[in-house]
Amino acid sequence: MSSLDALAENLPEGRLLTDPDVIDSYARDRTFLEPGKALAVVLARTRDDVVTTMRWASEHRVPVVPRGAGTGLAGGATASEGSVILSLARMTAITELSPADEIAVVEPGVITADLDRAAREHGLMYAPDPSSYEISTIGGNLATNAGGLRCVKYGVTRDSALGLEVVLADGRVLNTGRRTMKGVTGYDLTGLFVGSEGTLGVITSATVRLRRAPAAPPATFAAEFGSLRDAAAAVSAIMAAGCQPSLMEMLDRATLKAIDDWRNIGLEDSTQAMLIGQSDAADSQAAITAMGRLCEASGATFVAVSSSPAEAEELIAVRRMAYQAKERLGACLVEDVCVPRSALPDMISAIEAAAARHDVMICTVAHAGDGNLHPVFVFDHGTAEPPAQVWAAADEVFTKALEFGGTLTGEHGVGVLKRRWLSLESGPVTADVQQGIKAVFDPLGILNPGKAI
Amino acid sequence: MSSLDALAENLPEGRLLTDPDVIDSYARDRTFLEPGKALAVVLARTRDDVVTTMRWASEHRVPVVPRGAGTGLAGGATASEGSVILSLARMTAITELSPADEIAVVEPGVITADLDRAAREHGLMYAPDPSSYEISTIGGNLATNAGGLRCVKYGVTRDSALGLEVVLADGRVLNTGRRTMKGVTGYDLTGLFVGSEGTLGVITSATVRLRRAPAAPPATFAAEFGSLRDAAAAVSAIMAAGCQPSLMEMLDRATLKAIDDWRNIGLEDSTQAMLIGQSDAADSQAAITAMGRLCEASGATFVAVSSSPAEAEELIAVRRMAYQAKERLGACLVEDVCVPRSALPDMISAIEAAAARHDVMICTVAHAGDGNLHPVFVFDHGTAEPPAQVWAAADEVFTKALEFGGTLTGEHGVGVLKRRWLSLESGPVTADVQQGIKAVFDPLGILNPGKAI
């Protein structure tokens, strides 16, 4: 414990927490994974706290697990044995918000939706909106390159990150990127840190791009289908017509059933899938009407269209209930495959086949416009680890996604959960290069070891 | 020469060229820089040619200078002494074009505009359009992270690059990225290669994102102003109003005068600046009318608005003549600073002040919507190198750009020309990290040495 004393001495009062219950409360993310036993939590409030922690960790070769709000779904922020947990959740300042330049400079602990709200006071928005955006942090979003509902139109977190301040493993401070909309001075280090899941450095400030918020509330449609393939065909038709939805979500029957059992949404027996779409364009009403017609042409059994914000909220509410509804059914392994859009129907069939073959309950929601599916494997709360048939079904889903030209993870990151499939997607040359890059930034291997790569 | 014989032996007939005149014709880009004496040119036609060349170069420790069409403006493709020039210009296949997935897979020698035309046959477009896009290659665009006129709406080359096939310095083949719209498996190696100017590997194939082409031709405005600051104010007003132009170019009087002297565009004595804007949105006519009104409100002395393609072409033609008009005046040092949009008027004043103080002719065009300015320093054709006062003026321009929170290069790259200012923008930690990354990919330092970092 003497090495921890040295850290305590160099940090301001109250930043180092060693109470086992407190440590435990910072050790998990939203997966079922059991964390290792961590030594302590550093509750950083300033960049200097992070510098102090990393210098100490390098000196004593102690692993550091950086974390934001712990809303991750892949285990990236799960504490490892003998580590110090470095929480950035208290670094919550919006340092600058420039409407003229459409940028903000923020600390990593800023809640995603808070930044969006601050931007909207100036007619702007912060576009990335992972489903957890009311509780997730910008730092965590950057670490996983989080996506969200709006990214079908506005791109992922990477597309809003202009520059970063990063504390390296040895405590040096690196500034990457810029405040401008374009720039090619040197290698793209900003892009390298985004999605690196805390394995290359600790982000202590970010310059992010804001966008002009739409002038009017979005127009919304919800459509029901007798088959998932019809719904997928509607998505293809909508995207091919250039309708530019700002949201395009798909829910399968298992998900709808879970929601209906919980909140009674009047689910029809014939409904196998629901699509929910929005347009925030200047001609949103025309765009959404066109989308509704394309749903009908693709075989929708029911289509509702609205441009009233209250009605839109009602239509979207079903989507927002999806995850909670599933959590009521059991423990969840949430996956995140992404396939080329044309493979969406085949991927859906493959998920249904895997569920049937392995007798596993899989509820799927999808950011359908991006080809990004979240098959949620539901299993008994009683078991700490998913049972063998869940892993077998997941294995089948991943293998199929890669066969279709897809990827293991669209927006959640690799974390711990997806490492077992990593070699299926990336060959030995990639692994070699990634290890080389890791060694440049973290030669002692103390930054979030065992994660991401 | 025996080492070159070994290379000739391993390449198919006709791929290795050693005629001095031929070498000289592949040794330059569009700068005034005098190349070093290269040993040979490899005219690669396949990935295997590139693998063979890099294996040989690693074995014999010969520097390799990869190049596309040589349209670069920073010296990135200038041959270095004792190097082998590796031309990718003959690898011109569009391997795949998938309208359903809105992607294309292309070899690096594909001409940018050719890809765009191929995409348009399917109602799609390839968005990045550097001014040289009729002669530049996708490979060169990727190497410099090229921008262009449309990137005010659609982003730079990076924003259209999904995945790459890269031959590493030792001849191994690395595949990065994916075919999907989203993905976070491992570090963002695609982003790392984009803009790395041939110093990390040789791109032999790219998977790029296509976008839905606008249904109707764009609407266009051109506006004349009595002062550059008025024009800059109009740009701010247009961007702040959320008009979403698909093009927003500014020309200063020196540029307009050069064009007028060449082609007589009837330039008024009072005109100090011109703005040209386009909208390709569904409501383009309304958007362009709004932009025209904002120009008037900002003091424009004349505004023309049109949605006829022929008239639009006439208005845009002035912009397209800019570079050629300047080349008639003398040799050109083309710079590429980018500043936060709000600093555009101050940056323009700083350029005018530098021109006056150092008695240098500077003609400026700007991708004004992005804050990206191209001050072109014109000097006597007779001198091989720009005279001292040109460097002094350029030095002042760069220093000011950085003072305003800007960057040395928005879209042309660092190449050779901007290396002397690199340390002003990036500190020692950045330099250290970049050298570390370079060493991972190119431990022998044979890939385009002396460029970019």
Side-chain angles (χ1 to χ4, degrees):
Chain A
M1 272 293 165
S2 70
S3 79
L4 263 191
D5 290 346
L7 178 56
E9 220 164 77
N10 286 310
L11 285 172
E13 188 73 31
R15 309 279 158 97
L16 186 73
L17 311 173
T18 52
D19 180 301
D21 288 347
V22 172
I23 294 175
D24 196 60
S25 72
Y26 282 92
R28 292 156 208 277
D29 65 1
R30 291 192 77 180
T31 62
F32 53 81
L33 292 164
E34 269 308 308
K37 203 172 144 41
L39 303 178
V41 175
V42 173
L43 218 52
R45 286 186 179 269
T46 67
R47 185 187 72 187
D48 282 353
D49 293 346
V50 177
V51 170
T52 301
T53 304
M54 292 317 303
R55 277 195 192 140
W56 170 87
S58 274
E59 192 187 338
H60 297 276
R61 310 217 165 186
V62 175
V64 172
V65 181
R67 67 182 276 127
T71 59
L73 294 164
T78 311
S80 32
E81 193 68 28
S83 65
V84 161
I85 298 163
L86 175 53
S87 168
L88 287 313
R90 298 289 174 90
M91 292 180 66
T92 57
I94 297 177
T95 316
E96 183 188 343
L97 201 158
S98 164
D101 292 332
E102 298 181 2
I103 60 170
V105 182
V106 297
E107 288 186 341
V110 170
I111 298 291
T112 317
D114 286 347
L115 174 58
D116 189 35
R117 278 186 283 266
R120 286 187 192 258
E121 285 176 26
H122 303 275
L124 299 167
M125 66 176 181
Y126 177 67
D129 63 337
S131 300
S132 55
Y133 80 141
E134 284 288 357
I135 48 171
S136 69
T137 64
I138 299 288
N141 295 170
L142 288 163
T144 55
N145 195 10
L149 279 60
R150 288 196 287 251
C151 67
V152 64
K153 181 164 179 183
Y154 297 104
V156 292
T157 299
R158 170 70 192 96
D159 301 307
S160 289
L162 296 174
L164 301 173
E165 177 189 81
V166 180
V167 176
L168 299 179
D170 58 10
R172 287 183 301 166
V173 177
L174 173 71
N175 286 286
T176 76
R178 48 187 205 278
R179 290 169 63 88
T180 55
M181 286 298 135
K182 296 153 78 176
V184 284
T185 305
Y187 301 142
D188 179 12
L189 301 177
T190 306
L192 196 58
F193 280 102
V194 175
S196 68
E197 303 189 46
T199 63
L200 298 179
V202 183
I203 296 167
T204 48
S205 177
T207 303
V208 298
R209 179 181 178 173
L210 306 175
R211 286 164 208 267
R212 198 59 38 192
T220 308
F221 80 80
E224 294 172 15
F225 294 83
S227 89
L228 264 169
R229 291 189 76 96
D230 285 355
V235 172
S236 295
I238 287 167
M239 300 307 286
C243 295
Q244 278 220 300
S246 53
L247 177 152
M248 178 58 61
E249 300 288 309
M250 183 193 287
L251 293 82
D252 73 351
R253 178 161 183 94
T255 303
L256 292 167
K257 181 77 171 49
I259 296 168
D260 194 51
D261 288 348
W262 181 32
R263 289 283 176 90
N264 189 9
I265 55 169
L267 179 66
E268 302 279 343
D269 285 348
S270 60
T271 301
Q272 293 295 320
M274 182 182 277
L275 266 190
I276 304 171
Q278 285 194 324
S279 167
D280 65 3
D283 59 344
S284 63
Q285 191 57 45
I288 216 74
T289 304
M291 292 188 223
R293 288 213 185 102
L294 289 165
C295 287
E296 278 162 7
S298 302
T301 51
F302 174 79
V303 179
V305 167
S306 173
S307 56
S308 119
E311 280 174 30
E313 210 35 66
E314 242 170 79
L315 296 175
I316 297 273
V318 175
R319 170 63 181 88
R320 295 205 201 280
M321 285 188 258
Y323 191 68
Q324 272 182 281
K326 281 177 269 200
E327 278 190 321
R328 288 178 68 247
L329 301 179
C332 294
L333 172 68
V334 183
E335 290 308 345
D336 177 39
V337 291
C338 189
V339 293
R341 203 185 296 134
S342 63
L344 198 58
D346 287 343
M347 190 65 230
I348 284 166
S349 300
I351 292 170
E352 291 178 324
R357 185 171 2 260
H358 301 281
D359 192 22
V360 169
M361 180 175 193
I362 307 181
C363 308
T364 301
V365 294
H367 305 310
D370 295 319
N372 186 193
L373 301 106
H374 296 311
V376 177
F377 300 70
V378 183
F379 58 96
D380 197 318
H381 270 302
T383 58
E385 265 264 311
Q389 70 268 30
V390 165
W391 289 123
D395 194 63
E396 190 172 321
V397 166
F398 285 131
T399 307
K400 280 288 176 189
L402 295 173
E403 248 178 67
F404 295 141
T407 178
L408 297 174
T409 172
E411 55 177 19
H412 292 171
V414 171
V416 173
L417 279 182
K418 271 159 236 129
R419 284 183 89 213
R420 63 167 85 187
W421 291 286
L422 209 46
S423 66
L424 288 181
E425 180 168 346
S426 317
V429 181
T430 302
D432 193 44
V433 162
Q434 298 203 132
Q435 292 298 344
I437 292 172
K438 167 79 172 168
V440 168
F441 289 91
D442 181 22
L444 303 174
I446 57 172
L447 272 167
N448 215 9
K451 312 285 177 64
I453 62 165
Chain B
M1 271 297 163
S2 69
S3 80
L4 263 191
D5 291 345
L7 178 57
E9 218 163 80
N10 287 309
L11 285 172
E13 188 72 31
R15 310 281 158 96
L16 186 72
L17 311 174
T18 52
D19 180 303
D21 288 345
V22 172
I23 294 176
D24 196 60
S25 72
Y26 283 92
R28 292 155 208 277
D29 65 2
R30 291 192 75 181
T31 61
F32 52 82
L33 292 165
E34 270 307 308
K37 203 172 144 41
L39 303 178
V41 175
V42 173
L43 218 53
R45 285 185 180 271
T46 67
R47 184 187 73 186
D48 282 353
D49 294 346
V50 177
V51 169
T52 301
T53 305
M54 292 316 304
R55 277 195 192 141
W56 170 86
S58 274
E59 192 188 335
H60 298 275
R61 309 216 167 186
V62 176
V64 172
V65 181
R67 66 182 278 127
T71 59
L73 294 164
T78 311
S80 31
E81 193 68 29
S83 65
V84 161
I85 297 164
L86 176 53
S87 168
L88 288 312
R90 298 288 175 88
M91 292 180 66
T92 56
I94 297 176
T95 315
E96 183 188 343
L97 200 157
S98 165
D101 292 331
E102 298 183 2
I103 59 170
V105 181
V106 296
E107 288 187 341
V110 170
I111 298 291
T112 317
D114 286 347
L115 174 58
D116 189 35
R117 277 187 284 265
R120 284 185 195 259
E121 286 176 26
H122 303 275
L124 299 167
M125 66 175 180
Y126 177 67
D129 64 337
S131 299
S132 56
Y133 80 141
E134 283 289 357
I135 49 171
S136 69
T137 65
I138 299 288
N141 295 170
L142 288 163
T144 55
N145 194 10
L149 279 60
R150 288 196 286 250
C151 67
V152 64
K153 181 165 179 183
Y154 298 104
V156 292
T157 299
R158 169 71 193 95
D159 300 308
S160 289
L162 296 174
L164 300 174
E165 176 190 82
V166 180
V167 176
L168 298 179
D170 58 11
R172 286 183 301 167
V173 177
L174 173 72
N175 287 287
T176 76
R178 50 187 204 279
R179 290 170 63 88
T180 54
M181 287 297 137
K182 297 153 79 178
V184 284
T185 305
Y187 302 142
D188 179 11
L189 301 177
T190 306
L192 196 58
F193 280 102
V194 175
S196 67
E197 304 189 44
T199 63
L200 298 180
V202 183
I203 296 167
T204 48
S205 176
T207 303
V208 299
R209 179 180 177 175
L210 306 175
R211 286 164 208 269
R212 199 56 39 193
T220 308
F221 81 81
E224 294 171 15
F225 293 84
S227 88
L228 264 169
R229 291 189 77 94
D230 284 355
V235 172
S236 294
I238 287 167
M239 300 307 286
C243 295
Q244 278 219 301
S246 53
L247 176 152
M248 178 57 60
E249 300 289 306
M250 183 193 286
L251 293 82
D252 73 353
R253 178 160 184 93
T255 303
L256 293 167
K257 181 78 171 48
I259 296 168
D260 194 50
D261 288 347
W262 181 33
R263 290 283 175 91
N264 189 11
I265 54 168
L267 180 65
E268 301 279 343
D269 284 349
S270 59
T271 300
Q272 292 295 321
M274 182 182 277
L275 265 190
I276 303 171
Q278 286 194 325
S279 168
D280 64 4
D283 59 345
S284 64
Q285 191 58 45
I288 216 74
T289 305
M291 293 188 222
R293 289 214 184 101
L294 289 165
C295 287
E296 279 162 7
S298 301
T301 52
F302 174 79
V303 179
V305 167
S306 173
S307 57
S308 121
E311 280 175 29
E313 209 36 66
E314 243 170 79
L315 296 174
I316 298 272
V318 175
R319 169 64 182 87
R320 294 204 201 281
M321 284 187 258
Y323 190 69
Q324 272 182 280
K326 281 179 268 199
E327 278 190 323
R328 289 179 67 248
L329 301 178
C332 293
L333 173 67
V334 183
E335 291 307 347
D336 177 39
V337 292
C338 189
V339 294
R341 206 184 294 133
S342 63
L344 197 58
D346 287 343
M347 191 65 230
I348 283 166
S349 299
I351 291 170
E352 291 178 324
R357 187 175 356 264
H358 300 281
D359 193 22
V360 169
M361 181 175 192
I362 308 182
C363 309
T364 302
V365 295
H367 305 310
D370 295 319
N372 186 194
L373 302 106
H374 295 312
V376 177
F377 300 70
V378 183
F379 59 96
D380 197 318
H381 269 302
T383 59
E385 264 266 310
Q389 70 267 30
V390 164
W391 289 123
D395 194 62
E396 191 171 320
V397 166
F398 285 131
T399 307
K400 280 289 177 188
L402 295 173
E403 249 178 65
F404 295 140
T407 177
L408 297 174
T409 172
E411 57 178 17
H412 292 171
V414 171
V416 174
L417 279 182
K418 270 157 235 128
R419 285 183 87 214
R420 62 167 86 188
W421 291 285
L422 208 47
S423 66
L424 288 180
E425 180 168 344
S426 317
V429 180
T430 302
D432 193 44
V433 163
Q434 298 202 134
Q435 292 299 345
I437 291 172
K438 167 78 172 168
V440 168
F441 289 91
D442 181 22
L444 303 175
I446 57 171
L447 272 167
N448 215 8
K451 312 285 176 63
I453 61 164

